[in-house]
Amino acid sequence: MRNSWKIYVLAIVSFLVGTSEFVIAGILDMVASDIGVSVAAAGQLISVYSLAYAIGTPILIALTARMDRRKLMLAALALFFAGNVITVTTTGFAMLFGARIILAISTGVFMVVALTVSTKIAHPGKQGSAIATVLLGFNLALILGVPLGRIIAGTYDWKLIFTGIGVLSLIAMFVLLLAIPKAQGDAPVPIREQLSLLKSPRISVALSISFFWIFGYTILYTYISPFLLTITGMSEQMVSIALFAFGLASLLGSQVGGYGADKWGIPRTIIGGLLFHTGVLFLLAAFPHSSILVLPLLMLWAFFAWSTGPVQQVFLIGMAPEASGIVLSLNTSIVQLGMAAGAVIGGIIVEGMSLAAVGWLGGVGVAIALIPAMLALSLRSRAAAETQKLS
């Protein structure tokens, strides 16, 4: 019990940095209007964030591997504070673009280190719970941070969100300085060694599930607020409610996905989740003008979309149990790359076709994930059969 509150502190700060990532999708139309760019162009703020997170985080983690963990977390939060200051004081799109890069790499580094530190200060046998608690804080940003951000931006100004996050990050630095003990870093794992896992066909195919799953999801989610406002015709207040319901459903889906991996098995949970995810996106695209239908469909979309994450992580760990940390780190980078690609393609669809078309193309993206999913499960079955023969 002695160190439990310290883990909750890490979870609260995770909520803070998570909000800086997720909230931009909820206020995209307001940001675009304020800085004088199209919604599609503003969507690339999500692309650059994801690219910076995916590429910058593993490099910085490798370079700072031996650094004291508390000092590294404080440095990451200092950089995070700077990113929020630039966001608030921005005078144009290019400046905001740079701020998103700074926020991405600082968030990525903080999350990796926070997860590591949580396992070191947790009681023996409670490391898994510690990680889950920190991740819960990050995931709560989607449930609470995004709709609250939409309300604040609609009532006052979207920059007030980042002002608040910046102030709170300074307070977080002070609390972490007092609460978190010094902890030595680990021996660095070279980037080349981390990427060597991609040479395994089983792992590379399995990782491509993550890419296409989040790729299809992000095509629509990047533009969810303008979609609900202009296509569905929801009011400002209703959009905030819809985003809150979406977040709650995503949390429930994540829990059910983890349960399903144990209860129903990995193949059924992955394939079932992707099939339902695809179907719901097509239904959203087919009936976008009915608020009565769209709200429950949004919740079903969030539920099935986020049910894939936990079971996919279990699947990957089972493929490389001796290098679970590295394979999960690779998965995080792949997910962020998928988000970047989804935001780019979504922007092209919005500019070249229509905002209403993002649902259809998102569904196609998720459907593509079924191909590597079936292939990866087939390779898994073959490997298990060969192991059984040898034994």
Side-chain angles (χ1 to χ4, degrees), residues 172-360:
M173 289 174 66
F174 179 72
V175 174
L176 290 179
L177 183 62
L178 297 176
I180 305 300
K182 290 184 178 181
Q184 285 301 115
D186 302 313
V189 180
I191 298 296
R192 186 180 298 176
E193 186 178 328
Q194 295 183 41
L195 294 177
S196 66
L197 281 175
L198 294 176
K199 294 178 182 178
S200 165
R202 290 172 60 216
I203 292 175
S204 57
V205 170
L207 284 170
S208 67
I209 301 170
S210 294
F211 179 87
F212 287 108
W213 149 60
I214 205 71
F215 168 74
Y217 167 88
T218 308
I219 287 176
L220 175 55
Y221 184 72
T222 299
Y223 303 96
I224 188 63
S225 290
F227 182 90
L228 295 176
L229 285 166
T230 60
I231 304 299
T232 306
M234 286 187 178
S235 65
E236 185 65 46
Q237 183 182 14
M238 196 61 197
V239 169
S240 297
I241 292 170
L243 292 174
F244 181 71
F246 184 95
L248 282 177
S250 68
L251 180 62
L252 182 60
S254 179
Q255 297 301 309
V256 172
Y259 173 81
D262 298 329
K263 183 70 175 178
W264 307 309
I266 290 172
R268 287 183 182 179
T269 309
I270 284 185
I271 298 298
L274 290 173
L275 280 171
F276 280 111
H277 187 174
T278 302
V280 172
L281 281 176
F282 286 152
L283 285 172
L284 273 169
F287 303 100
H289 303 294
S290 172
S291 296
I292 296 173
L293 282 176
V294 167
L295 186 58
L297 284 174
L298 276 177
M299 296 182 71
L300 286 172
W301 172 35
F303 179 89
F304 289 114
W306 289 103
S307 69
T308 303
V311 67
Q312 172 71 343
Q313 291 184 4
V314 173
F315 186 33
L316 289 168
I317 289 172
M319 287 187 169
E322 72 290 346
S324 58
I326 295 175
V327 78
L328 289 181
S329 175
L330 284 172
N331 186 55
T332 300
S333 291
I334 291 294
V335 166
Q336 292 291 340
L337 288 173
M339 291 173 72
V344 169
I345 297 300
I348 292 171
I349 294 166
V350 170
E351 288 282 13
M353 298 171 66
S354 70
L355 183 57
V358 288
W360 293 112

Side-chain angles (χ1 to χ4, degrees), residues 12 47 57 93 107 130 139 244 277 290 309 325 334 372:
I12 291 169
S47 298
T57 300
F93 186 60
T107 295
N139 293 335
F244 181 71
H277 187 174
S290 172
I334 291 294

